Structure formats: structure tokens, C-alpha cells
Amino acid sequence: QVQLVESGGGSVQAGGSLTLSCTASAVIYRYCMGWFRQAPGKEREGVATLDSDGMIRYADSVKGRFTISRDNDKNTLTLQMFSLKPEDTAMYSCAADWRRCYVDKRDFPYWGQGTQVTVSK
């Protein structure tokens, strides 16, 4: 069982930046890790994934603005978000899976509770 706790959400104006962190209760260097977001009334969407071999995938909507990374020593996953837009407003959650990442992967067994990001115009 892996517990995930997100932090770093908040309210910013458009064009601003935020850094989200996800701290895991277990060693995650072999895990596929991901960030997802869900806006009110919308389906959850993948934001970025980072596999154990370093392979990174981003949603088209965040490419060039968001950066996913991990610190294996601290069992922490990070999402740096720049040039934020109002449409980035959502609850952001991290996820972990001992299996490998793949395109559009959503079947993660472990999820955090989420941290809210609100971007105003």
C-alpha cells in the first residue's frame, strides 16, 4: 500500500506559477508516477507521467509550461507549473503504479486526495 499526499496548491493570477509536490509513503523509484487534474463538471484528465526509466509524457495542453520530476531520495514527485491559465483551474492529484507507464494510462492503483489549483484572470 502506498499513500500519497499532495501539497502546494493555491490561488494565482493568470501567468503565474505554482509548484505541486506529492510525497509517497514508500519507495517509488521503480514506479510509474503521474499527475492528473479534474475541473468541476469535467472528467479527470492526465497532465503528465514519469516512468521509472525516466520516460516523460505530457498532455498537449501543458507541454512547454509544466515540468514533472521526481526525487527518489525523498520519495517525492513534483509538478512545476508556469504560465498558468484559467483553464488550468482544477483539483490536481498524483498517482502511483508499480507497473510501467503507457500512453493515456489511467489505471493507477494508488491516488492522493488532491490539492486545489485556482487560476484567476
Side-chain angles (χ1 to χ4, degrees):
Q1 188 77 11
V2 177
Q3 294 181 331
L4 303 170
V5 179
E6 301 93 339
S7 61
S11 296
V12 296
Q13 290 188 326
S17 302
L18 280 175
T19 296
L20 306 183
S21 295
C22 171
T23 301
S25 62
V27 174
I28 59 169
Y29 76 94
R30 290 184 176 180
Y31 278 56
C32 165
M33 303 294 296
W35 283 101
F36 291 78
R37 66 186 182 186
Q38 187 168 20
K42 295 187 177 181
E43 292 187 357
R44 182 164 58 192
E45 65 170 338
V47 174
T49 58
L50 172 54
D51 211 344
S52 56
D53 64 356
M55 170 72 78
I56 292 175
R57 296 182 176 93
Y58 292 103
D60 288 342
S61 59
V62 306
K63 282 180 181 177
R65 300 188 299 120
F66 290 11
T67 301
I68 188 172
S69 62
R70 73 164 88 195
D71 185 332
N72 290 329
D73 290 336
K74 296 181 179 179
N75 296 324
T76 300
L77 182 73
T78 298
L79 185 69
Q80 295 176 290
M81 306 185 294
F82 304 97
S83 302
L84 284 162
K85 305 175 182 179
E87 51 264 43
D88 293 320
T89 295
M91 180 71 74
Y92 284 70
S93 301
C94 67
D97 194 340
W98 66 89
R99 297 164 295 186
R100 297 296 299 274
C101 291
Y102 55 83
V103 175
D104 293 328
K105 177 180 175 66
R106 295 175 181 268
D107 58 339
F108 288 79
Y110 305 117
W111 292 85
Q113 292 298 309
T115 185
Q116 179 68 37
V117 172
T118 302
V119 184
S120 58
K121 295 181 180 179

